[in-house]
Structures are given as structure tokens and as C-alpha cells.
Amino acid sequence: MTTGLIPGGQPPDPRPTGILPSQTRREPVDPGAQHVESRSRSSVITARAAATFEPVGRSVASARSFVRDTLQGWGFGDIVDDAVVLTSELVTNAVVHAGTAADVLCLRSEDGVRIEVADRYPEREVPLQSSAVNMGSPDREGGRGLQLCAALAGRWGVEYTPTHKQVWFQLDLPQRSVGTRTAGPSLPSDLLPLADARVRVAVIQIDRGGAITAWNDDAEDLFGYPAEQVTGKPLTDFAAWPHTPGTSTGIAEALQLSRWEGSYGIRAANGRVTPVYASHLRVRDTSGDPSTVCLLVRDHERAVLQTPTRVTGGSDSGSTSEGQSADPFEVFIGSPAPDDLDGLLQRTVERARDMLDADAAFLLLATDDETELEVRASTGLPSARQRFARVPVEGGSGRYGSARMPAVHDDLTAVAGAVPLLNGTGMRSVVTVPLKVEGRLTGSLGVAAEAPGRYSNEEALRLQFAADRIALAVESARLGELERLRRGSLSFLVEASDLLAGTLDRDQTLALMAQMTVPTLATWCAVYTIADQASEPYLSYVLHEDEELIDGIKSLLSKIPPPDPVPTPGARVWSAPAEVAHQAALRTSMRSLGLGEPATVSSGIGTTLATAGAVGGETVVLPLVARNRVIGMLTLGKPTDEHFRQEILELAEDLSRRAALALDNARLYSERTAISQSLQRSLLPPDVPQIDGVEVEVIYRAAGEGNEVGGDFYDVFPIRDGAYGFAIGDVCGTGPNAAAVTGLARHALRLLAREGLSGPAVLQRLNSAILDEGARSRFLTLLYGEMRPQEDGSAELKVVCAGHPLPLRLRQDGTVESAAEPQPLLGVLEDLELYEQTVTLDPGDVLLCVTDGVTERREGTRMLGDDGLADVLTTCTGLTAGAVAARIMRAVERFASDAPSDDMAILAMRVPGPHPV
């Protein structure tokens, strides 16, 4: 490979052996060229990043972002701008002028950073320059990238291979003062950040799977957990991270970033959430296994960890001290800017507060329909109480009616309610300015001070200038968040609909409703149900993200009158739980201090306070309306006074509509199933009577889910003078129509048999009754008989088999034979010629009667059949009637893997043999 060297110095080749093949180089022989030393290979590569970009225009911007993100991640922010400029020019040469893909390689070493840009067009050579001074005209289309390399890079060069051309440059790190990275001015003691008597810094290490591997003593002091209790558990079990579908960065994503800094909460051992400020750094050990080190302090002590933003220098004109143009947005926000909306807004209010030396600052954003302003960030105010609170844009004088113009209030006590957000905060003077994009109001930014008369029009203009700088970025981030929220909401509702449609069980529907709500939409929820219009709402289900608090919340809510079942759509605030919780907490605290009634159970104090803290925030109620009737209420709650976002409430309202319909469907299904089962049970005969000298066992299985009676039926009943009637039949078809004929046949048999009619006469009259049903009539196969036990221990049977599978007789010697002859079935012919046959069961004999659901059991092309049934029966010698019936049913079920598709009935009667002496 030939290397074209450009005067101005040669970079060392930092690539270790094995990454690229060894190369031979030759220096230019032009006598006018400067001497170039041979390339050193002593530099050690400590990091490497590579990417390939397609030959399209947008690839230049992608390459700039890639280099910027890589160097920022390596901590080389001082040389990022130069590296981005050079990369942009070189990638433009590759993808625009050369028309090929560009390969970008970033290499980090002790000396600095080397960046290589290669294209696939080696024929388009870069001519060697014989002079370091004459680099061509800067107005030429090509060659500017090389001029910039000569001007900005410490070393650079061009290399050719048969397939690639590569331009590389190296940027050296600037010299920094030893020992000082950043410093602040000396401040009076009363202006220093407030901290406790001892500042505790929790050090937690998280492995690549998100589990805790290290937990220091300060972490135990801050959160109450000893190290052995948390080691090995996921950090997500303890972190109280904001839960908003489709928005922001989750804790799992934050732990994967190389660096992360921000606020969240840790659930302490006492059940309360401790707000913390955290700094995460991702590292890897000597074996290459990555982990994340988390430093945490209390949120009000964030100054201990918070990274000072880079001072960009320059004035409001947006120019740096070097005269280079600076981005006005970065001048105000700092670089790098937060990549999420919440972080951007929080940085904005903090910068606005510092810029005007204020005590507090706040930012409101327009809602999706742009009819209201919503509190999204604040500093120096009780933000948890105000966050997501809404105020109409044009709500009259004094209520943000002037939100479209800058406004200065010298003393809020003189104008009551001028800025409702600041009521009760002690703030006296305030200046507010609008955030506008293309003339459209998108938000409002304000700063406030405790002293009156602090601000004038000059401060308002300064704040408006800053607001104009950030308005477009804030609006872009807001719209991006709304789009992610819509997508997340859509995905959430699709999943919820699938889950709710998958069950018709009321209790399971209630559980699904609560589990989809917590913790995605709320910290806890309760579901009230209403049985009918005359019933009071009943507390049916309670769920909290901390299972240990569920019983306490359920007990507290049971002492509060339920919310009114108002059918009006939308969420309404329900203040009763918070009020009762605060009163209970106060009483508990007074008893613990001996100021009230003595506590009967001292161990319940902690539980009561934890319960009060869990439901002490905002609570909203949404009606569950189905088929124009309120069937219940869905209650959502938070442990803090932070308001619910309107988008979350709208999502909860959509969920409540789907859940209400699913809950009502489950109710209707349960009611109809209960009615059906009640009617079906009325068609079943009473318990089988006890017959002296004969064992009788019946097994019945109706096909179809929820069916207790089908087209098959059986009956055993007393007739007269020690005689008993028995029957087993099969009505054509299954389901309710077949069950109706079943009821007719069973009741007619009992009635006719007790009239003293013979078996053939009973069946002939039943045949006439079936035919009288007309179009509803169905043919019926029936085995009917009368049984009379004898004094010698045998039993005499008179049997009529009308089109039914023949009964089988099992003798004591194991032989099986048919016990009747086939005759015409019922419900087809008007005139039947039927006769009865007499069968004597000797001691030890078994008579087995089944329906065709048993003999016609199939597995593919195989069928059990009469012969298969007889083979199973031969193995039942010596068994009781119950054991015979059970063995037959077990054999039928095992014959095929599918569930039975036909009703089945088995009637087994056995005459016991003589007992051994």
C-alpha cells in the first residue's frame, strides 16, 4: 500500500498489531518537501469506535453526530468541535464528491484522538503538495478538507489501497492546569448549599443485568437497607422512576448509558420514597465485563454531585471570546443540552433563576389542544404539589390572561391571584414571559423572588431574550414527547384490550384492570362495583405497587363512604382518602407521643403512617359505564400531591371504557351461566337410590363448555313392590334442544312406569309424546328396563332396547355377551312393535349400559367400537360397579387425545357375589 504524506507532520499509527495488516510506506521524494519522521507505533489504543455511512446527503449529519457522541463519551469535549468540522468536510468529499460509502474510525490513545475517513474511490487521488504554504484557493470545490486538516490537526495524511482512499488526522488534547477542573467563587456562608450535619454519598454498583453488587454504609444510612438485604436484587425493585408510557428514559436505559446524571427516588425500608440526585458512570473491569457505579445524595444536596455546566463565554450577542459564532441555545442552556424534555425544562428553569438571581423559577407548557398551560418544571417551589397543574390560557384578568406578553409584578400581595402557581409560597415579585414559535403561544417562563420590587422591564427583556432562544427547542421536544406518548398509549390500549377480551371471569377482569393501571398510570388503585341501581358501591379490588400496603389501603378505604356513582365522563378529584389519611397519621403520631388516646397496638403505628403516606396525595375517580349504566368506579391515587397529567387521565379514561365493557360482559356471562346451569340441574335425576342386593354406579359427561346436561341421559328410580326402573338414552344432537327432549323422556318414563304399564307400553306412549312435539321432535335411542332383586341373591331384569347400543353382561368367568336384542328407535315411526326380554344377573355378574358417545370415541380413523368396549370390560372381573364404571371411563378418555365431542353416559349394575365365610 502506498501512503501519500502531506507536509505538516506525520501521526503515529495507533492501530495495534492484528487490527490492520502491516504496511510499507514511502515518503515523497520531492526535494521541496519537509522532512517527515518515520511513524511511531508506541501509542496504545484505549478505545475504538467505527461506523459506515451510505452515499446520501444525510450521512454527513449522521457522521457529525457519531463523532460528537463518541468524543463526548470519551470525555474529550475540548476537541469535539474541531473533530466534527474536519469529519464533516472529509465525509462530504466521500459521499458527495466521490459518491461512495464512507467508513469513519475513531481511535483514542494517550496522545489524543485519531480519526480516519475512508472512501471506495481510490482513483480520485489527492495530489501531493510540495509546499506547506500553497494549498490552493479556498474557493475551490475540492481540497478544503485538506486545508482544514492542515489548519486544525496536529498531524494528518492520506493513504491509498487498491480499493480504498483514506484521509486521517490526529487532534492532540489541550494542556490543562494540574489539579483544577472547575472552580467557583468564594461565597458568604449563608449562600452555600444547604446540607445535613453530615453529607452521605451512597455508592451503589450495578452489574450488566441490573442487579446490585455493592452497597456502602452511607447507602444503608440513607435508605435503611443493609447490604446483605439488597445485594443480588435488581435496582428497579427500589428505584421510584417516573412511569409515563412512551416518554422519557427508563431506569434500564439510564443504566446502559456511559454517563447519566439526574433525579429520581429510592424506596426506603420505611416504605417512603427518598428523593435523590444521582450520577451514573458505566465502567468495565479487567475482564471486560461492564457495570454501572451510581453515586447518590439527597436531592436537596445535589450540589455535591451536580456537574457544573461548561461556561461558553460571550455575551448576549452569541459570540465567544475568540470571535467565533456560538449557538444562542447552547449559550443559555449549556452544552451538551439534555436530550429529554424533562431534563431540558429543568435546566431551563435553573438557568433562568440563576440569570436573574431569583429565588424560584417555573415553566409552563401548552397542552396538546393548546387551551391550557401545564406546570412542567420548577425550582425553589413545592414542585411535587404543583407539577402538571393546569390553568386556562385566557382565564380572565390575573389568571395568565397576559401569558401572551411579558409581565412584571412588583408585589403579588397587592394583586391577589395574579399568578396562582405562587400562592402560599412567600414569593412577592415575579416576571413572566411567553414562549412562542411562529407567533403561536407554546408556554410561559417565569422567575420569582421573595422580596418585592426586584424586577423591572430590563429583566423582563433579558428573560424574553432567553425564552426566544429556547422556545423552538422546547416545542420540538414537547411535540416529540407527545408523539411518543401517543404511540405508547396506543400500544398500551391494544395490549389492554387483548387481555380484557381474553377472559369472561369477573374476578380476573377486576385483577387485570388493576394490574394494567398500577404502576403504569398510578401508584395505587381501587375498583368499586355496583351490582344494580339500588345497590351501594362495593369496594371489590385494591392494588398498590408495594404489596405490603394493600391491606392498609383496603382497611382505610373501607372506612370512607364510597364516591358517588356519577355517570359524567372524565376524571374528577376525590379528596376524602387524602383527608382521612392525614387525620389518621396525625392521630397515630399524637398517640405515639402520648398526647392522645393510648395506642392499643403499638406495632401498627408504622403501618398506619405508611398507609397514610401511600394515599395522601391526589386521588381521582373515573366512572365505569357500560350499556348506559354505571357499574362501578375506577379510583387512581398517588402518594404525593403531584397532579396527574391530563394525557394520563385521558389514557385512564380510555382504559376505563374498555374495562367497564369487559366487566359487564363478565357479569352477563356469569348470570347466564348460572341460569343455564340451574335449568340443566333441574333436568338431572336425583341421587341414585340404594338398592338392596344390587350395586349401581352412574358416570355422566355432557359435551361442551358449561353444559351439565346434553342429549344423553340416565335414570334409576323405584317403581313398586321392590321393583326399580332404569333407563339410559341418547337424543339426537346436543345442546339445549336435545336437553329439552331429555327432560320430556325422563319425566315421562317415571310417570308411565309408576302407572303399572309394561316396558313396551311405556316406550310406545313415550314415542307418541315425542312425535307430538312436531318440528321440535328428535329421534331417541333408549334402553329401558325393570329390575327386581331375588331372594337367592340374583336379580331379574326385563329389558327393551329401542335402537340403543346393546347392554353387555360380564360373567364371573370373564366372558362378555350382549344382554338384549336391537329394536326400532323412538321418535320416527308412529306404530312400534316392541317387546321385552328377561335377563337374570347371577351373583358376581355385571350389566354395563352405555351411550354411543362411548363406543364412537375416535382417534383419527380408529374407533373404540363395541369390540373395544367388550375388551375393556373383560378386564373388570371382580371389580365393584363403581370400579367398573371408572375403568371404562378412563379407557375411553385415554383412547384419544382430544376432548370428547359427544355426550357420554355409563350405567353399571352388579349383583354382589356371596361373601366369603
Side-chain angles (χ1 to χ4, degrees):
M1 182 183 70
T2 302
T3 304
L5 299 177
I6 307 300
Q10 278 186 311
D13 186 357
R15 290 169 292 191
T17 302
I19 293 180
L20 292 175
S22 59
Q23 304 160 350
T24 59
R25 296 171 173 80
R26 56 183 177 86
E27 300 175 3
V29 295
D30 183 31
Q34 298 178 1
H35 173 71
V36 182
E37 60 185 0
S38 61
R39 302 182 67 176
S40 170
R41 294 183 180 272
S42 61
S43 297
V44 178
I45 299 301
T46 58
R48 180 180 187 274
T52 299
F53 301 94
E54 296 299 321
V56 293
R58 63 176 180 272
S59 295
V60 179
S62 301
R64 287 198 296 263
S65 299
F66 164 70
V67 171
R68 181 181 296 277
D69 294 343
T70 300
L71 299 191
Q72 289 283 11
W74 289 348
F76 292 163
D78 298 313
I79 62 175
V80 164
D81 293 336
D82 290 345
V84 168
V85 169
L86 295 178
T87 302
S88 179
E89 288 294 332
L90 297 179
V91 173
T92 300
N93 289 339
V95 303
V96 176
H97 301 305
T100 74
D103 300 324
V104 180
L105 174 66
C106 301
L107 300 170
R108 184 183 68 185
S109 65
E110 301 95 332
D111 301 331
V113 173
R114 172 184 168 114
I115 297 179
E116 301 175 354
V117 179
D119 62 46
R120 299 9 170 4
Y121 189 12
E123 291 82 2
R124 190 176 188 272
E125 295 186 356
V126 176
L128 298 180
Q129 301 293 333
S130 60
S131 172
V133 178
N134 182 18
M135 294 295 291
S137 171
D139 296 327
R140 284 170 41 189
E141 179 183 358
R144 287 182 299 183
L146 302 182
Q147 295 183 55
L148 289 172
C149 287
L152 300 178
R155 284 168 285 182
W156 62 286
V158 183
E159 300 176 356
Y160 291 94
T161 69
T163 58
H164 289 74
K165 178 176 83 273
Q166 180 186 97
V167 181
W168 57 263
F169 61 86
Q170 178 156 330
L171 298 174
D172 298 328
L173 296 178
Q175 297 294 326
R176 293 194 179 101
S177 302
V178 177
T180 302
R181 180 67 181 272
T182 184
S186 299
L187 295 175
S189 299
D190 57 348
L191 296 181
L192 295 175
L194 181 63
D196 291 343
R198 172 175 174 238
V199 177
R200 293 179 171 83
V201 180
V203 181
I204 306 172
Q205 192 156 1
I206 314 298
D207 64 16
R208 68 191 312 165
I212 298 172
T213 59
W215 183 273
N216 72 340
D217 293 340
D218 279 359
E220 180 176 346
D221 291 338
L222 283 174
F223 310 124
Y225 301 105
E228 58 272 12
Q229 186 175 346
V230 299
T231 301
K233 295 183 178 179
L235 179 63
T236 52
D237 289 354
F238 306 94
W241 201 268
H243 294 282
T244 302
T247 64
S248 195
T249 300
I251 185 170
E253 291 81 6
L255 292 175
Q256 298 298 318
L257 299 176
S258 59
R259 284 182 181 274
W260 184 89
E261 192 172 320
S263 299
Y264 52 93
I266 297 292
R267 294 185 185 87
N270 60 6
R272 297 186 177 183
V273 174
T274 301
V276 297
Y277 190 83
S279 177
H280 297 174
L281 175 64
R282 194 157 175 81
V283 298
R284 59 187 176 92
D285 56 23
T286 54
S287 63
D289 197 30
S291 62
T292 302
V293 178
C294 306
L295 306 180
L296 300 92
V297 297
R298 294 182 181 93
D299 192 62
H300 66 272
E301 298 172 343
R302 61 167 56 196
V304 176
L305 296 181
Q306 192 166 20
T307 301
T309 54
R310 186 178 69 182
V311 178
T312 57
S315 63
D316 290 343
S317 62
S319 299
T320 63
S321 59
E322 291 80 6
Q324 297 176 345
S325 177
D327 185 354
F329 172 74
E330 291 191 355
V331 170
F332 181 71
I333 293 297
S335 179
D339 57 359
D340 65 298
L341 179 61
D342 289 337
L344 177 62
L345 299 182
Q346 191 62 37
R347 177 82 63 85
T348 298
V349 296
E350 291 171 358
R351 286 301 179 88
R353 178 197 59 190
D354 297 342
M355 184 177 72
L356 297 186
D357 193 22
D359 297 312
F362 54 89
L363 193 149
L364 299 89
L365 285 186
T367 56
D368 191 14
D369 55 9
E370 299 184 357
T371 61
E372 295 177 303
L373 293 177
E374 183 179 64
V375 180
R376 292 299 303 270
S378 65
T379 181
L381 298 175
S383 57
R385 175 169 61 89
Q386 303 291 348
R387 186 166 163 82
F388 299 123
R390 291 195 166 202
V391 178
V393 174
E394 299 292 347
S397 60
R399 292 187 61 82
Y400 293 100
S402 60
R404 301 182 187 278
M405 297 291 293
V408 178
H409 296 276
D410 291 330
D411 192 349
L412 292 178
T413 59
V415 185
V419 184
L421 177 64
L422 302 180
N423 291 345
T425 62
M427 299 297 162
R428 298 282 298 277
S429 54
V430 60
V431 53
T432 61
V433 297
L435 297 176
K436 291 185 178 181
V437 176
E438 298 179 351
R440 180 170 48 87
L441 180 69
T442 61
S444 178
L445 175 64
V447 296
E450 295 179 353
R454 282 281 299 275
Y455 304 114
S456 63
N457 290 338
E458 181 180 353
E459 282 80 9
L461 290 176
R462 290 181 61 196
L463 189 62
Q464 183 66 71
F465 186 50
D468 292 341
R469 291 174 173 177
I470 65 166
L472 183 59
V474 169
E475 177 66 1
S476 177
R478 182 184 77 91
L479 295 177
E481 181 192 70
L482 286 176
E483 180 62 24
R484 291 191 297 272
L485 182 61
R486 290 190 187 99
R487 292 181 180 179
S489 300
L490 181 61
S491 176
F492 173 80
L493 290 175
V494 168
E495 181 180 359
S497 298
D498 288 343
L499 290 173
L500 291 171
T503 178
L504 287 172
D505 181 82
R506 175 183 176 277
D507 294 337
Q508 189 174 1
T509 302
L510 290 172
L512 285 174
M513 189 190 315
Q515 291 166 6
M516 287 183 292
T517 303
V518 177
T520 304
L521 305 181
T523 305
W524 64 271
C525 83
V527 182
Y528 290 85
T529 57
I530 303 175
D532 52 59
Q533 297 293 343
S535 301
E536 290 293 325
Y538 173 74
L539 182 61
S540 299
Y541 203 92
V542 175
L543 184 65
H544 190 281
E545 60 182 6
D546 185 352
E547 295 182 356
E548 296 180 356
L549 298 177
I550 294 177
D551 291 338
I553 296 176
K554 188 180 297 184
S555 175
L556 186 144
L557 293 178
S558 64
K559 302 174 183 177
I560 305 174
D564 296 331
V566 178
T568 306
R572 67 183 192 277
V573 177
W574 186 30
S575 59
E579 294 173 356
V580 173
H582 293 158
Q583 294 172 4
L586 179 61
R587 289 194 299 270
T588 300
S589 300
M590 293 180 64
R591 284 197 299 266
S592 65
L593 296 174
L595 301 178
E597 298 179 0
T600 56
V601 183
S602 59
S603 61
I605 294 177
T607 303
T608 303
L609 291 176
T611 302
V615 301
E618 184 177 61
T619 304
V620 296
V621 178
L622 297 102
L624 297 175
V625 181
R627 298 176 175 90
N628 298 321
R629 186 174 71 88
V630 180
I631 64 171
M633 286 87 70
L634 175 63
T635 303
L636 309 180
K638 287 190 173 185
T640 65
D641 289 335
E642 177 178 304
H643 293 269
F644 281 96
R645 288 191 66 172
Q646 187 63 27
E647 290 81 6
I648 295 298
L649 294 179
E650 291 171 358
L651 183 59
E653 187 176 356
D654 285 338
L655 174 64
S656 68
R657 286 195 291 267
R658 289 164 169 79
L661 187 59
L663 187 62
D664 200 46
N665 287 340
R667 177 188 63 83
L668 293 174
Y669 177 79
S670 299
E671 290 179 356
R672 293 177 182 178
T673 299
I675 293 172
S676 173
Q677 291 176 346
S678 177
L679 292 174
Q680 291 184 63
R681 281 192 292 270
S682 69
L683 300 177
L684 292 174
D687 294 337
V688 176
Q690 296 291 329
I691 302 175
D692 293 337
V694 179
E695 299 173 0
V696 180
E697 182 66 27
V698 175
I699 296 179
Y700 182 79
R701 298 284 189 273
E705 182 181 357
N707 289 336
E708 295 188 21
V709 175
D712 292 5
F713 69 96
Y714 69 92
D715 200 0
V716 180
F717 55 91
I719 300 177
R720 61 188 181 282
D721 301 333
Y724 292 85
F726 65 91
I728 182 169
D730 184 1
V731 179
C732 174
T734 60
N737 293 331
V741 179
T742 295
L744 171 65
R746 190 176 66 80
H747 291 291
L749 283 175
R750 287 195 171 215
L751 179 62
L752 295 172
R754 287 170 178 171
E755 289 294 325
L757 300 176
S758 64
V762 169
L763 267 59
Q764 287 168 354
R765 284 169 173 75
L766 175 58
N767 180 64
S768 299
I770 294 174
L771 292 175
D772 289 342
E773 290 292 307
R776 295 183 300 172
S777 67
R778 291 169 176 259
F779 64 80
L780 167 68
T781 68
L782 179 65
L783 172 66
Y784 173 73
E786 294 182 2
M787 175 178 56
R788 188 183 299 273
Q790 303 297 312
E791 295 181 358
D792 60 358
S794 64
E796 182 182 77
L797 284 69
K798 295 182 178 180
V799 181
V800 180
C801 186
H804 198 76
L806 300 179
L808 298 179
R809 176 180 180 179
L810 172 65
R811 296 184 180 272
Q812 276 192 311
D813 58 3
T815 59
V816 175
E817 60 185 7
S818 298
E821 296 177 354
Q823 299 185 57
L825 51 77
L826 308 181
V828 177
L829 303 176
E830 293 185 2
D831 297 326
L832 290 180
E833 295 292 336
L834 301 175
Y835 58 92
E836 62 184 10
Q837 298 173 272
T838 301
V839 180
T840 301
L841 294 183
D842 297 326
D845 288 354
V846 175
L847 184 70
L848 177 66
C849 308
V850 300
T851 58
D852 60 5
V854 174
T855 57
E856 294 180 0
R857 178 75 162 143
R858 293 179 180 274
E859 174 70 18
T861 59
R862 298 186 308 118
M863 186 174 71
L864 180 63
D866 296 334
D867 295 338
L869 179 62
D871 292 340
V872 177
L873 186 59
T874 57
T875 65
C876 299
T877 304
L879 299 181
T880 63
V884 171
R887 178 170 293 187
I888 297 298
M889 178 56 73
R890 189 162 54 248
V892 172
E893 291 175 342
R894 291 178 177 176
F895 186 79
S897 57
D898 296 337
S901 59
D902 195 4
D903 305 328
M904 294 187 294
I906 299 174
L907 172 61
M909 295 181 291
R910 177 177 179 270
V911 178
H915 296 287
V917 180

